[in-house]
Amino acid sequence: MADTPTKQINLPAIADIGAVDEMREEMLEALNAGNLEINLANVERVSTNALFMLLSAAQTATNHNYQLLLSAPSEHFSNALETLGLESAFAPLMKG
């Protein structure tokens, strides 16, 4: 896995169902080729659907023997995880 290329993408400021649909293809393409790092720094709002899509993408990465990492979570993203009680589900995905 260390020699596998890592593609980096940014989760949009408004990560809702529309953004999920737009990002799905890009994420699947990246996860079929190697590791993926998703920067969360610009997230201002994130829907539950988007969070579950990220968990699903992490499982897809694992199934392909790749890694999905989440980096630089914004305060809004972290608050959403806390509100929904998903911190432990996302902890293994957080970079650093």
Side-chain angles (χ1 to χ4, degrees):
M1 244 189 319
D3 294 336
T4 304
T6 299
K7 180 173 180 165
Q8 296 182 340
I9 62 175
N10 296 312
L11 201 65
I14 308 300
D16 59 9
I17 191 70
V20 167
D21 287 341
E22 286 183 25
M23 291 189 64
R24 183 178 294 118
E25 289 303 315
E26 182 179 15
M27 291 175 62
L28 284 174
E29 183 179 310
L31 290 172
N32 282 321
N35 300 320
L36 175 61
E37 181 177 332
I38 302 173
N39 183 301
L40 307 169
N42 296 322
V43 175
E44 296 174 9
R45 187 174 71 215
V46 61
S47 71
T48 305
N49 288 343
L51 294 174
F52 285 120
M53 187 260 320
L54 290 172
L55 291 174
S56 177
Q59 185 60 52
T60 298
T62 299
N63 292 345
H64 286 89
N65 294 317
Y66 296 134
Q67 187 174 36
L68 181 138
L69 292 174
L70 303 175
S71 62
S74 69
E75 184 177 342
H76 298 287
F77 186 89
S78 296
N79 288 342
L81 294 185
E82 183 179 345
T83 298
L84 295 169
L86 293 173
E87 304 103 303
S88 62
F90 277 84
L93 306 176
M94 294 299 178
K95 183 177 180 180

